[in-house]
Amino acid sequence: MSDHNDPRDPQGGPNGQGPEGPNPMIKTLMIWGGIFMALLLTVSMFSNSGQTPGKAIPYSEFRQDVAEGTVKEVQVAPDRITGVMKNDETFSTIPVANDPGLTKLLDDNGVQYSGAEKQEMGILAYILINSLPFLLILGIAIFALRQVQKGGGGGAMGFGKSKAKMLTERQGRVTFEDVAGIDEAREELEEIVEFLKDPHRFSKLGGQIPKGALLVGSPGTGKTLLARAIAGEAGVPFFTISGSDFVEMFVGVGASRVRDMFEQAKKNAPCILFIDEIDAVGRSRGHGLGNSNDEREQTLNQLLVEMDGFEANEGIIIIAATNRPDVLDPALLRPGRFDRQVVVPVPDIDGREKILGVHMKKVPLAPDVNPRTIARGTPGFSGADLANLVNEAALLAARRNKRLVAMQEFEDAKDKVMMGTERRSMVMTDDEKKMTAYHEAGHALVSINEPASDPIHKATIIPRGRALGMVMRLPERDSYSYHRDKMHANLAVAMGGRVAEDIIFGHDKVSSGASGDIQYATDLARNMVTKWGMSEKLGPLQYEQSQEGYLGMGQTARTMGGAETNKLIDAEIKGLVEGGLKRAEDILKEQEDKLHLLAQALLEYETLTGDEIDALMKDGKIDRPDEPKGPTIAKPTQGSAIPKAGKRFGGSGDEAPQGA
């Protein structure tokens, strides 16, 4: 962690080095590179020592040159003859053994000659040349052994070492200012940072620093982002590790890594230790049946001991994150190990507006963009969903060759995220389009006539995602409870599409397009009967229990499995769904003319907003100006992306739209 008051240079060290001096890996590479270059130099030196300078020629050619009188002088050794030509060119040749006529030939042609000793290698050079392969193999073996045994868990024999990484936020530093929309969770963790910065302020009143904090929340709510913000604010060493890094195929490795991690943390205390996705190693232990004492349990036992055992870990704060708190071992969750459980919720409308403000800083916005409006239309979105929404809007604006991201891009991006991408290329017959239009019109008309139903956001017959059409409803505000009247309204709305098909096209032409609606209605009715006590006959009892899964997800199992009870449950579920079907039938048969009107409008315009549907129901028409149908096709840009002075962007004299 970098302290803001650190007197050293910006690179972290006195000489531009990192906080721990020069990189040891670079140092090792330089040493071994020097050794390798020295070995190459030695080999080349001794390999060239036995060579004689000059042109190598055959012995016959040498005798011919002597006979022609072109040789000036020679030195005759038992194994080699060297000499100089009259043109000062040097040569060498290997003589034929026992040539008695050589000296006579040299004398006859006036060549100066002398004897030379046989070249022999010195004892030191001989030893060095012969030991070079051994030295090379020894060096490679030493290097490999060091790589195998090195710490940090990087070597082959280092699997018992901790894989925790110390963060030094030199780039991409995150602070609490970058965390928005989860104020309560942020305040809980800000207190830990304050304790680390000024422990006396709390200890003078007898308070002790929390030993651990568990961040609990749905995926995408910002748990890891909060941990990164702590790393950026605390000013103390920050170690991060994933829960899956403890799990290994070798027995005892996970426990060894836990021990090594805490030893590493003790050397750097006070420090923060962040374990992401702790449910990978912290699951509830078994009952000793069927190999339940596995590697994960040993790792968990060691983690429990290290967090709060006989030896106190002073100055080590553990922060863990999970979206599976239901599967964690109770011993892990007790105070003393995790003193605080910080719930990181899905943001409300104010939180969504703040989150959008953080992400919108990175994109150029048109004047018509209103974060409040976008936040109101995105209930249930997490921080990750909102970040994706802003990114999709920016990509849409770039695809349309706009300089600014306007409100229209955000609306289109919201539709894309919530309803799926438009599949305009999908070929549908007129009959299929008509069937889809009446199906969606049935949903929309029932929704309008159900007071407890959420208002319609948009209705479309353009295939989106995996659906041929869709009626999207959005709540007017964030809701935290689900009321009986709204449940019955949703059952009726879900059945509206199938009922409309039955009324318009007949019993034999009812399609399979309502399969998703039937599934939704059945699940809702089952929850009403078995979990929420909405059945008069069965009373306020729980008949099904959820099993482990993500927050709000998972399997269910019947807790009361009697034959009579199961029959009654099934009958009540069927009764609730059929009740919704009856309510939809009554509405659509009574207002069949409006059903035709709405379906024809969908066939004409393909997509209708909630306001347009309301206007159609009141006035019988839609006040929409003529506009080109189909998606906007981006024209390829030519030349510079900067508009020329004196001309409107786009080249026309008309007023440019927002963001263009």
Short mmCIF file of all heavy atoms in Angstrom, two decimals, residues 299-354:
data_model
loop_
_atom_site.label_atom_id
_atom_site.label_comp_id
_atom_site.label_asym_id
_atom_site.label_seq_id
_atom_site.Cartn_x
_atom_site.Cartn_y
_atom_site.Cartn_z
N THR A 299 -8.54 -27.96 5.24
CA THR A 299 -8.22 -26.55 5.00
C THR A 299 -9.08 -25.65 5.86
O THR A 299 -8.59 -24.68 6.46
CB THR A 299 -8.42 -26.22 3.51
OG1 THR A 299 -7.72 -27.15 2.70
CG2 THR A 299 -7.95 -24.83 3.20
N LEU A 300 -10.37 -25.97 5.96
CA LEU A 300 -11.27 -25.17 6.79
C LEU A 300 -10.86 -25.24 8.26
O LEU A 300 -10.85 -24.22 8.96
CB LEU A 300 -12.71 -25.65 6.61
CG LEU A 300 -13.76 -24.98 7.50
CD1 LEU A 300 -13.80 -23.47 7.31
CD2 LEU A 300 -15.15 -25.58 7.25
N ASN A 301 -10.51 -26.43 8.74
CA ASN A 301 -10.09 -26.57 10.14
C ASN A 301 -8.87 -25.70 10.42
O ASN A 301 -8.79 -25.04 11.46
CB ASN A 301 -9.78 -28.03 10.46
CG ASN A 301 -11.03 -28.89 10.49
OD1 ASN A 301 -12.13 -28.38 10.69
ND2 ASN A 301 -10.89 -30.18 10.26
N GLN A 302 -7.91 -25.72 9.50
CA GLN A 302 -6.72 -24.89 9.69
C GLN A 302 -7.06 -23.41 9.65
O GLN A 302 -6.52 -22.61 10.41
CB GLN A 302 -5.69 -25.21 8.61
CG GLN A 302 -4.33 -24.55 8.82
CD GLN A 302 -3.66 -25.01 10.09
OE1 GLN A 302 -3.61 -26.21 10.35
NE2 GLN A 302 -3.12 -24.09 10.88
N LEU A 303 -7.99 -23.04 8.79
CA LEU A 303 -8.41 -21.64 8.71
C LEU A 303 -9.08 -21.19 10.00
O LEU A 303 -8.84 -20.08 10.49
CB LEU A 303 -9.36 -21.45 7.51
CG LEU A 303 -9.83 -20.04 7.20
CD1 LEU A 303 -8.66 -19.15 6.83
CD2 LEU A 303 -10.86 -20.05 6.06
N LEU A 304 -9.91 -22.05 10.59
CA LEU A 304 -10.57 -21.73 11.85
C LEU A 304 -9.54 -21.52 12.96
O LEU A 304 -9.66 -20.58 13.76
CB LEU A 304 -11.54 -22.85 12.23
CG LEU A 304 -12.74 -23.07 11.31
CD1 LEU A 304 -13.54 -24.29 11.77
CD2 LEU A 304 -13.63 -21.84 11.25
N VAL A 305 -8.53 -22.38 13.01
CA VAL A 305 -7.50 -22.27 14.04
C VAL A 305 -6.69 -21.00 13.87
O VAL A 305 -6.39 -20.29 14.84
CB VAL A 305 -6.59 -23.52 14.02
CG1 VAL A 305 -5.39 -23.32 14.94
CG2 VAL A 305 -7.37 -24.75 14.44
N GLU A 306 -6.33 -20.68 12.63
CA GLU A 306 -5.51 -19.50 12.40
C GLU A 306 -6.28 -18.22 12.68
O GLU A 306 -5.70 -17.24 13.15
CB GLU A 306 -5.00 -19.50 10.94
CG GLU A 306 -4.01 -20.60 10.62
CD GLU A 306 -2.64 -20.38 11.26
OE1 GLU A 306 -2.38 -19.25 11.74
OE2 GLU A 306 -1.84 -21.33 11.28
N MET A 307 -7.56 -18.20 12.37
CA MET A 307 -8.34 -16.98 12.58
C MET A 307 -8.56 -16.72 14.06
O MET A 307 -8.48 -15.56 14.50
CB MET A 307 -9.68 -17.08 11.85
CG MET A 307 -9.56 -16.97 10.34
SD MET A 307 -11.14 -17.05 9.51
CE MET A 307 -11.87 -15.47 10.01
N ASP A 308 -8.84 -17.74 14.83
CA ASP A 308 -9.08 -17.54 16.26
C ASP A 308 -8.76 -18.84 16.98
O ASP A 308 -9.65 -19.65 17.24
CB ASP A 308 -10.52 -17.10 16.52
CG ASP A 308 -10.72 -16.66 17.98
OD1 ASP A 308 -9.74 -16.25 18.62
OD2 ASP A 308 -11.86 -16.74 18.46
N GLY A 309 -7.50 -19.04 17.28
CA GLY A 309 -7.07 -20.24 18.00
C GLY A 309 -6.34 -19.84 19.26
O GLY A 309 -6.60 -18.80 19.86
N PHE A 310 -5.41 -20.69 19.71
CA PHE A 310 -4.63 -20.38 20.90
C PHE A 310 -3.69 -19.21 20.66
O PHE A 310 -3.45 -18.40 21.55
CB PHE A 310 -3.83 -21.62 21.34
CG PHE A 310 -4.65 -22.58 22.15
CD1 PHE A 310 -5.10 -23.76 21.60
CD2 PHE A 310 -4.98 -22.29 23.46
CE1 PHE A 310 -5.88 -24.63 22.33
CE2 PHE A 310 -5.76 -23.16 24.20
CZ PHE A 310 -6.21 -24.33 23.63
N GLU A 311 -3.13 -19.13 19.45
CA GLU A 311 -2.23 -18.04 19.13
C GLU A 311 -3.03 -16.89 18.53
O GLU A 311 -3.73 -17.05 17.54
CB GLU A 311 -1.15 -18.50 18.15
CG GLU A 311 -0.22 -19.56 18.72
CD GLU A 311 0.87 -19.90 17.73
OE1 GLU A 311 1.00 -19.20 16.70
OE2 GLU A 311 1.61 -20.87 17.98
N ALA A 312 -2.90 -15.74 19.16
CA ALA A 312 -3.63 -14.57 18.69
C ALA A 312 -2.94 -13.97 17.47
O ALA A 312 -1.73 -13.92 17.38
CB ALA A 312 -3.72 -13.53 19.80
N ASN A 313 -3.76 -13.55 16.51
CA ASN A 313 -3.25 -12.87 15.33
C ASN A 313 -3.52 -11.38 15.45
O ASN A 313 -4.54 -10.87 14.98
CB ASN A 313 -3.90 -13.43 14.06
CG ASN A 313 -3.47 -14.85 13.78
OD1 ASN A 313 -2.30 -15.19 13.94
ND2 ASN A 313 -4.40 -15.71 13.39
N GLU A 314 -2.64 -10.71 16.14
CA GLU A 314 -2.85 -9.29 16.35
C GLU A 314 -2.53 -8.50 15.08
O GLU A 314 -1.50 -8.72 14.45
CB GLU A 314 -1.96 -8.79 17.50
CG GLU A 314 -2.30 -9.41 18.85
CD GLU A 314 -3.68 -9.02 19.35
OE1 GLU A 314 -4.17 -7.94 18.94
OE2 GLU A 314 -4.27 -9.76 20.15
N GLY A 315 -3.43 -7.62 14.75
CA GLY A 315 -3.17 -6.72 13.62
C GLY A 315 -3.51 -7.30 12.27
O GLY A 315 -3.23 -6.68 11.25
N ILE A 316 -4.08 -8.51 12.20
CA ILE A 316 -4.48 -9.11 10.92
C ILE A 316 -6.00 -9.05 10.83
O ILE A 316 -6.70 -9.66 11.63
CB ILE A 316 -3.99 -10.56 10.77
CG1 ILE A 316 -2.47 -10.64 10.89
CG2 ILE A 316 -4.43 -11.14 9.44
CD1 ILE A 316 -1.94 -12.06 10.87
N ILE A 317 -6.50 -8.31 9.87
CA ILE A 317 -7.94 -8.20 9.66
C ILE A 317 -8.31 -9.02 8.43
O ILE A 317 -7.73 -8.85 7.35
CB ILE A 317 -8.36 -6.73 9.48
CG1 ILE A 317 -8.07 -5.94 10.76
CG2 ILE A 317 -9.83 -6.62 9.15
CD1 ILE A 317 -8.34 -4.47 10.64
N ILE A 318 -9.24 -9.92 8.60
CA ILE A 318 -9.69 -10.79 7.51
C ILE A 318 -10.97 -10.21 6.94
O ILE A 318 -11.93 -9.95 7.67
CB ILE A 318 -9.94 -12.24 8.00
CG1 ILE A 318 -8.78 -12.69 8.83
CG2 ILE A 318 -10.28 -13.13 6.83
CD1 ILE A 318 -7.92 -13.52 8.44
N ILE A 319 -10.99 -9.99 5.65
CA ILE A 319 -12.19 -9.59 4.92
C ILE A 319 -12.47 -10.66 3.88
O ILE A 319 -11.60 -11.03 3.10
CB ILE A 319 -12.02 -8.20 4.27
CG1 ILE A 319 -11.83 -7.14 5.36
CG2 ILE A 319 -13.24 -7.85 3.43
CD1 ILE A 319 -11.55 -5.76 4.81
N ALA A 320 -13.67 -11.19 3.91
CA ALA A 320 -14.05 -12.25 2.97
C ALA A 320 -15.32 -11.84 2.25
O ALA A 320 -16.12 -11.05 2.76
CB ALA A 320 -14.23 -13.58 3.68
N ALA A 321 -15.51 -12.37 1.06
CA ALA A 321 -16.69 -12.07 0.25
C ALA A 321 -17.30 -13.38 -0.23
O ALA A 321 -16.58 -14.32 -0.58
CB ALA A 321 -16.32 -11.19 -0.94
N THR A 322 -18.63 -13.42 -0.26
CA THR A 322 -19.32 -14.60 -0.76
C THR A 322 -20.74 -14.23 -1.17
O THR A 322 -21.32 -13.28 -0.65
CB THR A 322 -19.36 -15.72 0.29
OG1 THR A 322 -20.01 -16.87 -0.27
CG2 THR A 322 -20.15 -15.29 1.52
N ASN A 323 -21.30 -14.95 -2.13
CA ASN A 323 -22.72 -14.85 -2.43
C ASN A 323 -23.46 -16.11 -2.03
O ASN A 323 -24.61 -16.31 -2.41
CB ASN A 323 -22.96 -14.53 -3.91
CG ASN A 323 -22.14 -15.42 -4.84
OD1 ASN A 323 -21.92 -16.60 -4.53
ND2 ASN A 323 -21.71 -14.90 -5.96
N ARG A 324 -22.81 -16.95 -1.24
CA ARG A 324 -23.40 -18.19 -0.74
C ARG A 324 -23.26 -18.26 0.77
O ARG A 324 -22.62 -19.18 1.31
CB ARG A 324 -22.70 -19.39 -1.39
CG ARG A 324 -22.71 -19.43 -2.91
CD ARG A 324 -24.09 -19.80 -3.44
NE ARG A 324 -24.55 -21.07 -2.93
CZ ARG A 324 -24.22 -22.24 -3.46
NH1 ARG A 324 -23.42 -22.29 -4.52
NH2 ARG A 324 -24.70 -23.36 -2.96
N PRO A 325 -23.85 -17.35 1.53
CA PRO A 325 -23.67 -17.40 2.99
C PRO A 325 -24.36 -18.60 3.62
O PRO A 325 -24.01 -19.01 4.72
CB PRO A 325 -24.28 -16.08 3.47
CG PRO A 325 -25.31 -15.76 2.42
CD PRO A 325 -24.75 -16.26 1.12
N ASP A 326 -25.34 -19.17 2.93
CA ASP A 326 -26.10 -20.27 3.50
C ASP A 326 -25.31 -21.55 3.60
O ASP A 326 -25.67 -22.44 4.37
CB ASP A 326 -27.37 -20.49 2.68
CG ASP A 326 -27.06 -20.65 1.20
OD1 ASP A 326 -26.23 -19.87 0.68
OD2 ASP A 326 -27.69 -21.50 0.54
N VAL A 327 -24.22 -21.68 2.83
CA VAL A 327 -23.46 -22.93 2.85
C VAL A 327 -22.22 -22.84 3.72
O VAL A 327 -21.49 -23.82 3.87
CB VAL A 327 -23.04 -23.34 1.42
CG1 VAL A 327 -24.25 -23.48 0.53
CG2 VAL A 327 -22.05 -22.36 0.81
N LEU A 328 -21.94 -21.68 4.32
CA LEU A 328 -20.75 -21.53 5.14
C LEU A 328 -20.91 -22.25 6.47
O LEU A 328 -22.00 -22.35 7.02
CB LEU A 328 -20.44 -20.05 5.37
CG LEU A 328 -20.05 -19.24 4.13
CD1 LEU A 328 -19.78 -17.79 4.51
CD2 LEU A 328 -18.84 -19.83 3.45
N ASP A 329 -19.80 -22.73 7.01
CA ASP A 329 -19.79 -23.43 8.29
C ASP A 329 -20.11 -22.47 9.43
O ASP A 329 -19.57 -21.36 9.46
CB ASP A 329 -18.42 -24.08 8.52
CG ASP A 329 -18.45 -25.12 9.59
OD1 ASP A 329 -18.28 -24.76 10.76
OD2 ASP A 329 -18.62 -26.30 9.28
N PRO A 330 -20.97 -22.86 10.37
CA PRO A 330 -21.31 -21.96 11.49
C PRO A 330 -20.10 -21.54 12.31
O PRO A 330 -20.07 -20.43 12.85
CB PRO A 330 -22.29 -22.79 12.33
CG PRO A 330 -22.84 -23.81 11.39
CD PRO A 330 -21.76 -24.11 10.41
N ALA A 331 -19.11 -22.42 12.44
CA ALA A 331 -17.92 -22.07 13.22
C ALA A 331 -17.14 -20.92 12.58
O ALA A 331 -16.43 -20.19 13.26
CB ALA A 331 -17.01 -23.30 13.37
N LEU A 332 -17.28 -20.78 11.27
CA LEU A 332 -16.58 -19.71 10.56
C LEU A 332 -17.26 -18.36 10.75
O LEU A 332 -16.61 -17.32 10.69
CB LEU A 332 -16.49 -20.06 9.07
CG LEU A 332 -15.60 -19.21 8.17
CD1 LEU A 332 -14.15 -19.36 8.57
CD2 LEU A 332 -15.78 -19.61 6.70
N LEU A 333 -18.55 -18.39 11.01
CA LEU A 333 -19.34 -17.16 11.05
C LEU A 333 -19.43 -16.55 12.44
O LEU A 333 -19.95 -15.45 12.58
CB LEU A 333 -20.76 -17.44 10.54
CG LEU A 333 -20.86 -17.95 9.10
CD1 LEU A 333 -22.30 -18.27 8.77
CD2 LEU A 333 -20.32 -16.92 8.13
N ARG A 334 -18.93 -17.23 13.47
CA ARG A 334 -19.11 -16.71 14.83
C ARG A 334 -18.26 -15.48 15.08
O ARG A 334 -17.21 -15.29 14.45
CB ARG A 334 -18.79 -17.81 15.84
CG ARG A 334 -17.31 -18.12 15.98
CD ARG A 334 -17.04 -18.82 17.29
NE ARG A 334 -15.65 -19.24 17.45
CZ ARG A 334 -14.67 -18.46 17.87
NH1 ARG A 334 -14.93 -17.17 18.13
NH2 ARG A 334 -13.45 -18.93 18.01
N PRO A 335 -18.67 -14.60 16.00
CA PRO A 335 -17.82 -13.47 16.39
C PRO A 335 -16.48 -13.97 16.94
O PRO A 335 -16.41 -14.96 17.64
CB PRO A 335 -18.64 -12.77 17.48
CG PRO A 335 -20.05 -13.18 17.21
CD PRO A 335 -19.98 -14.56 16.66
N GLY A 336 -15.45 -13.23 16.64
CA GLY A 336 -14.09 -13.66 16.96
C GLY A 336 -13.37 -14.10 15.70
O GLY A 336 -12.15 -13.99 15.62
N ARG A 337 -14.14 -14.60 14.77
CA ARG A 337 -13.58 -14.89 13.45
C ARG A 337 -14.09 -13.85 12.46
O ARG A 337 -13.33 -13.11 11.91
CB ARG A 337 -13.94 -16.33 13.03
CG ARG A 337 -13.24 -17.37 13.91
CD ARG A 337 -13.29 -18.75 13.33
NE ARG A 337 -12.49 -19.69 14.15
CZ ARG A 337 -13.00 -20.61 14.95
NH1 ARG A 337 -14.32 -20.75 15.05
NH2 ARG A 337 -12.21 -21.40 15.66
N PHE A 338 -15.40 -13.85 12.25
CA PHE A 338 -15.99 -12.76 11.48
C PHE A 338 -16.92 -12.00 12.42
O PHE A 338 -18.04 -12.42 12.68
CB PHE A 338 -16.74 -13.28 10.26
CG PHE A 338 -15.84 -13.74 9.15
CD1 PHE A 338 -15.81 -15.07 8.78
CD2 PHE A 338 -15.01 -12.85 8.51
CE1 PHE A 338 -14.97 -15.50 7.77
CE2 PHE A 338 -14.17 -13.28 7.50
CZ PHE A 338 -14.14 -14.59 7.14
N ASP A 339 -16.42 -10.89 12.94
CA ASP A 339 -17.20 -10.10 13.89
C ASP A 339 -18.37 -9.39 13.21
O ASP A 339 -19.35 -9.06 13.85
CB ASP A 339 -16.30 -9.06 14.57
CG ASP A 339 -15.17 -9.73 15.35
OD1 ASP A 339 -15.47 -10.58 16.19
OD2 ASP A 339 -14.01 -9.40 15.10
N ARG A 340 -18.22 -9.11 11.93
CA ARG A 340 -19.26 -8.37 11.23
C ARG A 340 -19.65 -9.08 9.95
O ARG A 340 -18.80 -9.59 9.21
CB ARG A 340 -18.77 -6.96 10.88
CG ARG A 340 -18.55 -6.06 12.04
CD ARG A 340 -18.14 -4.68 11.60
NE ARG A 340 -17.98 -3.80 12.75
CZ ARG A 340 -17.58 -2.54 12.66
NH1 ARG A 340 -17.32 -2.03 11.46
NH2 ARG A 340 -17.46 -1.81 13.76
N GLN A 341 -20.92 -9.14 9.73
CA GLN A 341 -21.43 -9.57 8.45
C GLN A 341 -22.04 -8.35 7.76
O GLN A 341 -23.08 -7.85 8.18
CB GLN A 341 -22.45 -10.69 8.61
CG GLN A 341 -21.86 -12.01 9.06
CD GLN A 341 -22.83 -13.16 8.91
OE1 GLN A 341 -23.67 -13.17 8.03
NE2 GLN A 341 -22.71 -14.15 9.79
N VAL A 342 -21.38 -7.89 6.75
CA VAL A 342 -21.81 -6.69 6.03
C VAL A 342 -22.60 -7.12 4.80
O VAL A 342 -22.06 -7.75 3.89
CB VAL A 342 -20.60 -5.83 5.62
CG1 VAL A 342 -21.07 -4.57 4.91
CG2 VAL A 342 -19.76 -5.48 6.85
N VAL A 343 -23.88 -6.80 4.80
CA VAL A 343 -24.75 -7.13 3.66
C VAL A 343 -24.58 -6.04 2.60
O VAL A 343 -24.77 -4.86 2.88
CB VAL A 343 -26.22 -7.25 4.10
CG1 VAL A 343 -27.09 -7.55 2.89
CG2 VAL A 343 -26.37 -8.35 5.15
N VAL A 344 -24.22 -6.48 1.40
CA VAL A 344 -24.09 -5.56 0.26
C VAL A 344 -25.32 -5.76 -0.60
O VAL A 344 -25.39 -6.69 -1.41
CB VAL A 344 -22.80 -5.82 -0.52
CG1 VAL A 344 -22.61 -4.77 -1.59
CG2 VAL A 344 -21.59 -5.86 0.41
N PRO A 345 -26.34 -4.90 -0.46
CA PRO A 345 -27.63 -5.16 -1.13
C PRO A 345 -27.63 -4.68 -2.57
O PRO A 345 -26.73 -3.95 -3.02
CB PRO A 345 -28.61 -4.37 -0.27
CG PRO A 345 -27.80 -3.19 0.18
CD PRO A 345 -26.37 -3.65 0.32
N VAL A 346 -28.68 -5.09 -3.28
CA VAL A 346 -28.96 -4.50 -4.58
C VAL A 346 -29.40 -3.06 -4.35
O VAL A 346 -30.24 -2.80 -3.48
CB VAL A 346 -30.05 -5.31 -5.31
CG1 VAL A 346 -30.45 -4.63 -6.62
CG2 VAL A 346 -29.59 -6.73 -5.57
N PRO A 347 -28.85 -2.08 -5.04
CA PRO A 347 -29.11 -0.68 -4.72
C PRO A 347 -30.55 -0.27 -4.98
O PRO A 347 -31.22 -0.80 -5.87
CB PRO A 347 -28.14 0.08 -5.64
CG PRO A 347 -27.86 -0.87 -6.77
CD PRO A 347 -27.92 -2.25 -6.17
N ASP A 348 -31.04 0.70 -4.20
CA ASP A 348 -32.35 1.29 -4.45
C ASP A 348 -32.22 2.38 -5.50
O ASP A 348 -31.17 2.54 -6.13
CB ASP A 348 -32.94 1.83 -3.14
CG ASP A 348 -32.04 2.86 -2.48
OD1 ASP A 348 -31.02 3.27 -3.08
OD2 ASP A 348 -32.34 3.27 -1.34
N ILE A 349 -33.29 3.14 -5.70
CA ILE A 349 -33.29 4.12 -6.78
C ILE A 349 -32.22 5.20 -6.57
O ILE A 349 -31.52 5.59 -7.53
CB ILE A 349 -34.69 4.75 -6.95
CG1 ILE A 349 -34.69 5.73 -8.13
CG2 ILE A 349 -35.21 5.39 -5.67
CD1 ILE A 349 -36.07 6.21 -8.54
N ASP A 350 -32.03 5.66 -5.33
CA ASP A 350 -30.98 6.65 -5.07
C ASP A 350 -29.60 6.04 -5.30
O ASP A 350 -28.71 6.69 -5.86
CB ASP A 350 -31.09 7.17 -3.63
CG ASP A 350 -32.38 7.94 -3.40
OD1 ASP A 350 -32.84 8.62 -4.35
OD2 ASP A 350 -32.93 7.88 -2.28
N GLY A 351 -29.43 4.80 -4.86
CA GLY A 351 -28.14 4.12 -5.08
C GLY A 351 -27.85 3.93 -6.55
O GLY A 351 -26.72 4.11 -7.01
N ARG A 352 -28.89 3.56 -7.32
CA ARG A 352 -28.69 3.38 -8.76
C ARG A 352 -28.32 4.69 -9.43
O ARG A 352 -27.47 4.71 -10.33
CB ARG A 352 -29.96 2.79 -9.39
CG ARG A 352 -30.26 1.38 -8.97
CD ARG A 352 -31.29 0.72 -9.89
NE ARG A 352 -32.58 1.39 -9.83
CZ ARG A 352 -33.53 1.13 -8.97
NH1 ARG A 352 -33.34 0.19 -8.05
NH2 ARG A 352 -34.70 1.76 -9.01
N GLU A 353 -28.92 5.78 -8.99
CA GLU A 353 -28.58 7.08 -9.57
C GLU A 353 -27.11 7.44 -9.29
O GLU A 353 -26.40 7.92 -10.18
CB GLU A 353 -29.51 8.15 -9.01
CG GLU A 353 -29.33 9.52 -9.66
CD GLU A 353 -30.28 10.56 -9.12
OE1 GLU A 353 -31.08 10.23 -8.19
OE2 GLU A 353 -30.25 11.71 -9.61
N LYS A 354 -26.65 7.17 -8.07
CA LYS A 354 -25.25 7.46 -7.73
C LYS A 354 -24.29 6.56 -8.53
O LYS A 354 -23.25 7.02 -9.00
CB LYS A 354 -25.02 7.26 -6.23
CG LYS A 354 -25.75 8.29 -5.36
CD LYS A 354 -25.56 7.97 -3.89
CE LYS A 354 -26.35 8.95 -3.01
NZ LYS A 354 -26.26 8.58 -1.58
#
